[in-house]
Amino acid sequence: MTWKKFSGEVIHSSILEEVENAIIRETEKGFKLKVCIGTDSQVKGAMTDFATVIVLLREHHGGFMYIAQDKTTQQMGIKERMLVEVQKSIETAYAVCDLLDLYDVDLEVHADINTNPMFKSNKALNEAMGYILSMGFIFKAKPEAFASSTCADKMVH
């Protein structure tokens, strides 16, 4: 998976190395950090575009993110697509969680799923929440899931 900065600059080191360097740099500046991971997708014709983000929040001082995008031609319904988004977020969270524990950085997994039953994405809420919580991660859905519904969303629209 190729990770980039928001500027579009490709990260040539491993994402773990990049995140670790960022944690060290930001904590040395005195910032308390939290990491939020989320994925969003957009169907464009026969193509589905996925974007996964790792957002590093500086308490009361904004934040920055890393982005990985991929595309698939696999056809899927809304529920399956929501669960693929969650799976991508969990894979990323799983890859960085030991590092975050080492530096005592909180982690949240954000799902671009609406808690309001009137929205189609709500069909996947229970499975997504169960999947994320069973992996031991803190779960946020809309409207608190800004990593997926705002940050990742910008990358696929």
Side-chain angles (χ1 to χ4, degrees):
M1 199 180 294
T2 302
W3 288 91
K4 296 178 181 176
K5 294 181 180 178
F6 188 62
S7 63
E9 179 190 338
V10 174
I11 294 163
H12 296 290
S13 58
S14 77
I15 191 61
L16 274 178
E17 197 177 318
E18 183 71 26
V19 170
E20 183 170 30
N21 290 338
I23 291 169
I24 293 167
R25 181 183 69 236
E26 298 299 324
T27 51
E28 281 176 355
K29 292 179 186 173
F31 293 116
K32 168 105 175 88
L33 295 175
K34 175 164 77 172
V35 170
C36 303
I37 294 173
T39 303
D40 195 16
S41 61
Q42 181 70 34
V43 179
K44 297 172 181 171
M47 204 56 102
T48 303
D49 199 1
F50 289 92
T52 300
V53 296
I54 301 172
V55 181
L56 281 85
L57 287 181
R58 302 178 195 102
E59 195 169 60
H60 309 298
H61 288 91
F64 55 97
M65 67 179 176
Y66 302 104
I67 303 119
Q69 288 182 268
D70 62 341
K71 297 177 188 315
T72 182
T73 53
Q74 183 184 337
Q75 296 298 300
M76 53 187 99
I78 182 122
K79 187 172 179 179
E80 185 183 359
R81 187 162 54 94
M82 298 294 113
L83 292 173
V84 169
E85 289 178 9
V86 168
Q87 180 185 356
K88 289 177 179 296
S89 295
I90 285 176
E91 284 170 4
T92 303
Y94 195 72
V96 300
C97 66
D98 288 346
L99 176 69
L100 300 180
D101 285 348
L102 188 65
Y103 288 97
D104 198 27
V105 175
D106 290 339
L107 170 64
E108 293 178 359
V109 176
H110 291 191
D112 188 35
I113 296 173
N114 209 301
T115 51
N116 183 333
M118 289 174 59
F119 290 85
K120 287 181 187 168
S121 67
N122 183 263
K123 291 184 181 104
L125 181 65
N126 289 338
E127 288 93 332
M129 191 163 60
Y131 189 6
I132 293 168
L133 294 174
S134 71
M135 294 295 289
F137 297 122
I138 295 170
F139 167 79
K140 298 280 188 203
K142 281 181 175 176
E144 284 103 35
F146 66 86
S148 54
S149 55
T150 304
C151 300
D153 177 76
K154 283 189 177 9
M155 306 316 299
V156 290
H157 282 97

